Each structure stands twice: as structure tokens, then as C-alpha cells.
């Protein structure tokens, strides 16, 4: 990590929003109250994740235009929106990990690994705060092990297994894609079952969800949030230091 730029005042102390400086060097992060830790986490999330992504998902921004070439551009061209969407899905998983664990299977048309807490963290954020995406979708090309099309598929599971994992493991969305044309409705079914997700609409819904998320982690989910925070960002005097969080 390079030299931190800027500071944020929380409970009358200046913070860089980087764990190694704020806790390991200065020993200040663990001194914050629970509300202060929630503030620190939110400011950090905004600085390293949300605000940069807002530029990537704003089609009118210079950043978006520089990193996503026009359709008729000659090689070499760039399409950052795919990587940006992958980052967004990973961020949803990270935020969901601060909610109470819940491995209840509800609308899943299949489940590969019931022990995968990462998927259930991702799902829980969508279930709680992005209800328009907590749905089943018909007429896709996704198939079961026998090669038969599913009558419908659970969208959070598809977003996890085929979008998030597909991009992370092979630079590919399996059975679907990311398409601006789908932004008006959120998603489209094209090419005999190909599921297209509108990235701008999805990001806008995510951004709206954050307000309710941070309201609830201050109240309803405070205990779970602070417990996970202390594991992820342990006190420099804690035995957990052998599992230090990385910037």
C-alpha cells in the first residue's frame, strides 16, 4: 500500500481508514466505540470500494469512457464493466459477511455446497436489501445434471455461481452476460435462454440498499456486525493478531 492520502475524523481522532496504520501503528481503531467502528467501516468501504465503483458504473463519467471502449472501436479496446461487476458482487459478499449467518435453503434450484458460508453471506445481503433481485427467473438456458432446462432459476444463486464465480475463475459469465440494454428492466432473456443483467441498474439498486444496511447494523444486527468487525480488524493486543486482516 502506498502512503495514505487524506484523513477522516471519528470520535475526535484522525484515521487513515487503513487497518495497518490505524491499529497496528497507532493503536486507535480498537479504542473506538461500537458506533465509531461502524463509522470507520462505512468510510473505509466508501473510500476503497463504493466511490471508485460509482465512477466505473457512471456511463457519463470520464473514467467509464476511458475504460470501456465504444462498440465500434478498433483493437486494442477495453471493457472494464465485466471486472467492475465482479468487484461489485464480491463487495456484496463482504457486506453480507457482517450479517447473522443463515444457511436456510429457500428458492435455490440446486445447491452445490451447503457449507459455503460465502454464498449465503452474498445471498443474505440481497434477500435483506435488494428484494427486486431475490426472485426466480424463467426461460433461461441453465440445465440440471441430466441436461434438462430448469423451469426457473434462483437469481441470487445464478449471480453467485455463474456471474461471480464464472468471472473470478475463467473470465466468463456462464450462460449469461452483462448488457447495458438490460438496464431498463434489470435483466433480459436473449439468444434462446441467455440471461443478460443490466449492470447500471444492479449497481443503482445496490447503492440504495446500503442506506438500509447501515441503519440495521447500528441496531438490529449490531452484535453480529461488531463481532465480525473485531475478527476482521483485531486489536493489536488481541490473540487474533496471527490472523490479521489485509488491506
Amino acid at each position: 500500500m502506498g502512503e495514505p492520502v487524506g484523513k477522516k475524523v471519528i470520535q475526535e481522532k484522525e484515521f487513515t481508514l487503513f487497518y495497518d496504520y490505524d491499529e497496528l501503528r497507532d493503536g486507535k481503531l480498537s479504542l473506538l466505540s461500537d458506533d465509531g467502528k461502524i463509522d470507520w467501516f462505512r468510510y473505509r468501504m466508501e473510500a476503497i470500494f463504493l466511490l471508485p465503483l460509482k465512477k466505473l458504473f457512471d456511463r457519463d463519467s470520464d473514467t467509464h469512457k476511458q475504460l470501456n471502449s465504444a462498440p465500434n472501436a478498433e483493437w486494442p479496446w477495453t471493457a472494464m464493466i465485466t471486472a467492475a461487476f465482479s468487484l461489485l458482487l464480491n463487495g456484496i459478499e463482504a457486506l453480507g459477511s457482517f450479517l447473522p449467518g443463515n444457511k436456510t435453503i429457500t428458492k435455490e434450484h440446486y445447491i452445490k455446497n451447503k457449507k459455503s458460508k460465502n454464498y449465503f453471506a452474498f445471498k443474505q445481503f440481497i434477500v435483506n436489501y435488494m428484494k427486486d433481485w431475490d426472485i426466480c427467473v424463467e426461460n433461461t438456458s441453465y440445465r440440471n445434471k441430466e441436461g434438462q432446462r430448469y423451469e426457473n432459476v434462483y437469481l441470487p444463486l445464478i449471480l453467485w455461481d455463474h456471474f461471480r464465480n464464472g468471472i473470478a475463475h475463467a473470465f466468463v459469465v456462464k450462460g449469461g452476460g452483462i448488457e447495458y440494454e438490460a438496464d431498463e428492466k434489470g435483466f433480459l432473456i436473449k439468444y434462446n435462454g441467455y440471461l443478460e443483467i443490466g449492470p447500471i441498474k444492479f449497481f443503482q439498486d445496490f447503492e440504495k440498499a446500503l442506506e438500509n444496511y447501515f441503519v440495521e447494523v447500528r441496531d438490529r444486527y449490531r452484535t453480529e456486525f461488531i463481532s465480525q468487525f473485531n475478527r476482521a480488524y483485531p486489536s493489536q493486543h488481541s490473540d487474533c493478531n496471527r490472523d490479521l486482516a489485509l488491506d
Side-chain angles (χ1 to χ4, degrees), residues 78-141:
T78 56
M80 179 65 188
I81 196 64
T82 300
F85 198 73
S86 178
L87 287 172
L88 176 53
L89 297 180
N90 283 326
I92 290 174
E93 176 202 339
L95 291 163
S97 73
F98 288 82
L99 299 173
N102 183 350
K103 292 188 177 182
T104 303
I105 296 174
T106 53
K107 306 170 188 175
E108 282 82 358
H109 50 294
Y110 72 89
I111 193 75
K112 289 181 178 179
N113 186 353
K114 295 180 181 179
K115 297 180 181 179
S116 174
K117 67 177 183 178
N118 296 331
Y119 161 68
F120 287 101
F122 173 83
K123 170 190 171 180
Q124 199 60 48
F125 185 94
I126 294 178
V127 168
N128 286 16
Y129 308 110
M130 299 177 69
K131 295 188 183 299
D132 287 348
W133 297 89
D134 180 28
I135 60 174
C136 292
V137 179
E138 298 178 345
N139 302 318
T140 70
S141 61

Side-chain angles (χ1 to χ4, degrees), residues 7-58:
K7 301 288 177 66
K8 190 68 179 177
V9 176
I10 305 171
Q11 295 180 344
E12 301 181 349
K13 295 182 177 64
E14 285 190 339
F15 289 86
T16 66
L17 307 178
F18 291 102
Y19 170 77
D20 53 350
Y21 287 110
D22 290 344
E23 180 59 23
L24 301 185
R25 184 188 68 185
D26 299 335
K28 295 186 298 185
L29 180 59
S30 57
L31 299 179
L32 288 172
S33 69
D34 288 353
D35 281 332
K37 290 178 179 178
I38 294 170
D39 285 338
W40 184 91
F41 179 84
R42 181 167 190 170
Y43 293 139
R44 173 175 167 81
M45 183 276 299
E46 290 174 347
I48 70 169
F49 178 71
L50 181 63
L51 297 180
L53 277 188
K54 285 185 72 169
K55 294 184 178 181
L56 294 175
F57 282 91
D58 179 0

